[in-house]
Amino acid sequence: MIHFIAENMAPIMFFSLIVFMLLGYPVAFSLAANGLLFFFIGVELAPYSSNEITLSWPLLYALPERFWGIMSNDTLLAIPFFTFMGIVLERSGMAEDLLDTIGQLFGPIRGGLAYAVILVGALLAATTGVVAASVIAMGLISLPIMLRYGYDRRAATGVIAASGTLAQIIPPSLVLIVLADQLGRSVGDMYAGALIPGLVLTSLYLGYVLLMTFVRRNSMPALPLEARTLGHGVVSLLVALISAVAVAYAASIYLASSAGANAGIWGATIGFAAIYAVAIADRALKFNMMSRLAQQVVIVLIPPLALIFLVLGTIFLGIATPTEGGAMGAVGALTMAAAKGRLSLDVVRQALASTTRLSSFVLFILIGARVFSLTFYGVNGHLWVEHLLTSLPGGEMGFLIVVNILVFFLAFFLDFFELAFIIVPLLAPAASALGIDLIWFGVLLGVNMQTSFMHPPFGFALFYLRSVAAREPYLDRVTGKTIQPITTGQIYWGAVPFVCIQVIMIGLVIGFPQMVMHYKGPVIDPSDVEIVVPGFGGGQQQGLPGLGLPPLGAPAPANGGGAPAQPAQPAPPATDLSQPPSFGNSAPAQPAPPATDLSQPPKFN
């Protein structure tokens, strides 16, 4: 029995961890306690394990060094920066302004509020990267308006919860930072690889809303005329956008000689800055060149887009690292909040407190994972997992299917941090052994882990929405009607279609890997590569160049030309260093002295 336990310590340890967490113990302490407990057991059972267990007491001395590696990891600094940025932006009222403005823009069409929620969710994801902030902000602002104008409750809650989870996959996502760290890859490459899948997933959400407006026409009605307070003005907005594009094009042509490949980016920056300045001046000086709707859209949308460029644009251009981009984003968020007059000491204090809690939560889980992995690797657990996964039928595709099914079901019980710190380090060696690109694998896992926020009954996005949705009937202040509360069942059923969309997105990422692999740049076909070696020495001979040297057995050329030179003169018996060297002189060299008298000082004539 002892031999059996010693030789199967890895699976016993893994399933014991699952039992610890199912009993409700905190994940960080479950990891650390499980690692230490099995370390003591493993040391005692090592003599009975047929060399399967390599644990010994001096190995514990490695723990302080592993902890120091966590504390000194610069990549993890991006987590508090982006968290602080997101919380400050949520407190600054940016989400409220975006939802009101885009809701007015799409209000005249059926499902307009749902479109607005999805687009604002994508913008918040690209500026905050925090799911809780996005879901709570949109639940507080959009859900009462949707219920006021007759939206189906399941559709309204599902759209809000799903849009909030876009912060998981659209950069600058916290989970992408953690995945890059665990996979040992660049955060910038992970961001670049996840950008297109995030946009495709947003498009799928929009497509679902469009489908619902045809299948169930009354589930998502248009805003009534009295609710469109900004009036009309789409033509004015289009003219403003065309003008901005024209200015951007002209600026990019002007800067082409000095800015090079980045001329288009700087041109776009100048174009949108110009239209923003015009909108501000038009509102302040009452020129009335633009409609109220166009003014509001430009003034509200440009600052978040500028912040996105400040964070993601500098990372993708190679100007800043993700950590530096997060620091600039935090400063930009403080600037935006101050510009709106909503920056106060209380806002900063709340943001710092929330950032400290989340950062401490991440670091404690990471420390616990280090303790667990020290023991798990000591019992060859990584080899057990790698052999288990690489021996699956179907090779690479079979591995991807099984792993995604495993992560999908584990997401019912674990959140994305726990999955990233526990499961990903076990899966990465097997994926690497199968030749799978780890950036593609990380983005695929990121899309899959996104479902952990939407799974009934433990999805955190559903909990966040439940915390702000009405539990009792209330009187609407605009229409004066009594609005019935939102039930938990309606929230759960509303999430189901979007979980199905996320599963479809997992299949698309597997089926079309180039959505992620574009981060490597254009693919080069080796069969199209032609290598032309220029000739040397003016000759027409074929084959490898001779680098100006004669063929073997041929005399050296006199002047680098093709004609052979005269036979070289025999070398003198010795070199007289007292005379300057002779290049090309026909006169014979002076004979060297017979010997050097070292007892006399040297003479320099």
Side-chain angles (χ1 to χ4, degrees):
M1 185 64 179
I2 293 180
H3 289 278
F4 175 80
I5 295 175
E7 294 173 0
N8 294 275
M9 182 71 75
I12 295 173
M13 182 179 178
F14 183 75
F15 289 111
S16 298
L17 175 64
I18 296 176
V19 172
F20 266 88
M21 291 189 294
L22 289 178
L23 290 175
Y25 291 103
V27 175
F29 300 118
S30 297
L31 285 166
N34 191 272
L36 291 175
L37 174 63
F38 279 91
F39 188 95
F40 299 147
I41 297 175
V43 170
E44 298 299 326
L45 295 183
Y48 307 98
S49 65
S50 302
N51 296 324
E52 288 290 327
I53 299 177
T54 58
L55 297 174
S56 60
W57 295 115
L59 193 60
L60 284 177
Y61 296 147
L63 279 180
E65 184 178 354
R66 293 168 73 87
F67 294 163
W68 173 248
I70 298 170
M71 301 301 178
S72 58
N73 190 344
D74 291 340
T75 302
L76 297 178
L77 274 177
I79 293 177
F81 282 139
F82 284 123
T83 305
F84 180 81
M85 180 182 75
I87 295 171
V88 169
L89 287 177
E90 189 262 330
R91 298 286 194 275
S92 71
M94 184 186 73
E96 182 177 352
D97 294 340
L98 285 172
L99 285 168
D100 180 58
T101 303
I102 300 181
Q104 294 281 331
L105 180 63
F106 288 96
I109 62 176
R110 189 179 293 114
L113 285 177
Y115 292 131
V117 167
I118 294 172
L119 292 175
V120 171
L123 283 172
L124 291 178
T127 51
T128 66
V130 182
V131 174
S134 299
V135 174
I136 290 173
M138 292 190 294
L140 287 171
I141 300 163
S142 293
L143 187 56
I145 301 175
M146 294 173 124
L147 297 180
R148 177 184 303 157
Y149 296 114
Y151 269 64
D152 181 82
R153 293 165 180 273
R154 294 181 181 179
T157 55
V159 164
I160 291 173
S163 301
T165 61
L166 288 173
Q168 282 294 99
I169 193 62
I170 294 180
S173 164
L174 298 183
V175 70
L176 293 178
I177 298 173
V178 174
L179 285 172
D181 177 70
Q182 294 299 299
L183 294 171
R185 291 298 182 266
S186 164
V187 177
D189 288 344
M190 191 71 76
Y191 279 178
L195 187 60
I196 291 180
L199 297 177
V200 171
L201 184 59
T202 305
S203 302
L204 291 178
Y205 287 171
L206 294 171
Y208 172 74
V209 172
L210 178 63
L211 179 65
M212 286 290 292
T213 58
F214 286 103
V215 175
R216 298 176 57 194
R217 299 176 61 88
N218 295 326
S219 63
M220 298 181 180
L223 281 180
L225 187 61
E226 62 272 13
R228 304 173 203 166
T229 57
L230 292 179
H232 301 283
V234 176
V235 175
S236 176
L237 178 61
L238 290 176
V239 170
L241 291 177
I242 292 172
S243 302
V245 171
V247 172
Y249 180 71
S252 64
I253 293 177
Y254 178 77
L255 296 172
S257 59
S258 59
N262 294 332
I265 296 173
W266 290 114
T269 303
I270 293 172
F272 284 99
I275 198 63
Y276 182 73
V278 169
I280 291 290
D282 189 45
R283 170 176 290 186
L285 302 176
K286 302 187 184 305
F287 289 149
N288 296 324
M289 292 186 299
M290 303 169 65
S291 65
R292 287 182 58 206
L293 179 64
Q295 284 180 1
Q296 185 72 6
V297 169
V298 171
I299 292 173
V300 168
L301 279 182
I302 295 297
L305 292 176
L307 187 62
I308 292 171
F309 173 75
L310 181 67
V311 176
L312 297 182
T314 54
I315 294 173
F316 292 155
L317 290 175
I319 300 173
T321 65
T323 301
E324 295 165 348
M328 290 190 295
V331 174
L334 291 172
T335 304
M336 287 181 59
K340 291 178 176 292
R342 299 183 181 180
L343 183 62
S344 64
L345 185 61
D346 187 56
V347 168
V348 175
R349 185 185 297 112
Q350 292 176 14
L352 289 174
S354 300
T355 301
T356 303
R357 279 196 299 270
L358 181 63
S359 303
S360 302
F361 168 72
V362 171
L363 286 178
F364 267 102
I365 291 182
L366 195 50
I367 288 172
R370 286 289 189 270
V371 177
F372 177 83
S373 65
L374 178 71
T375 304
F376 198 66
Y377 278 61
V379 298
N380 285 326
H382 58 300
L383 297 179
W384 170 69
V385 174
E386 183 176 338
H387 293 160
L388 184 67
L389 294 175
T390 54
S391 61
L392 292 170
E396 177 183 320
M397 188 58 63
F399 169 80
L400 291 175
I401 292 173
V402 170
V403 163
N404 278 283
I405 292 174
L406 172 67
V407 172
F408 181 81
F409 283 105
L410 286 176
F412 277 93
F413 312 102
L414 304 175
D415 73 355
F416 72 96
F417 277 130
E418 296 159 359
L419 288 170
F421 290 134
I422 300 172
I423 303 300
V424 172
L426 303 179
L427 301 178
S432 182
L434 290 171
I436 297 173
D437 184 88
L438 291 185
I439 294 291
W440 176 44
F441 187 61
V443 172
L444 183 61
L445 290 180
V447 176
N448 200 333
M449 290 179 190
Q450 187 180 356
T451 62
S452 69
F453 278 89
M454 296 287 290
H455 277 320
F458 300 115
F460 281 92
L462 308 182
F463 290 160
Y464 298 146
L465 185 58
R466 173 70 279 176
S467 67
V468 297
R471 296 176 179 269
E472 301 291 337
Y474 66 94
L475 190 67
D476 184 71
R477 58 183 178 82
V478 175
T479 61
K481 297 179 181 178
T482 300
I483 305 295
Q484 295 301 316
I486 297 289
T487 65
T488 302
Q490 289 169 342
I491 295 176
Y492 285 172
W493 281 111
V496 170
F498 292 94
V499 172
C500 296
I501 292 174
Q502 290 169 344
V503 173
I504 293 172
M505 189 64 214
I506 295 172
L508 290 177
V509 175
I510 294 177
F512 301 94
Q514 195 55 36
M515 281 196 295
V516 177
M517 300 298 289
H518 71 90
Y519 82 92
K520 290 185 172 181
V523 179
I524 298 175
D525 187 358
S527 62
D528 297 335
V529 178
E530 182 180 359
I531 301 176
V532 178
V533 181
F536 290 83
Q540 302 296 324
Q541 61 269 35
Q542 302 295 322
L544 293 175
L547 300 177
L549 299 177
L552 291 176
N559 55 2
Q566 296 298 323
Q569 298 294 326
T575 301
D576 184 7
L577 298 179
S578 65
Q579 299 296 327
S582 175
F583 299 97
N585 294 331
S586 59
Q590 297 296 324
T596 301
D597 186 4
L598 298 179
S599 64
Q600 299 296 325
K603 296 180 180 181
F604 300 97
N605 296 327

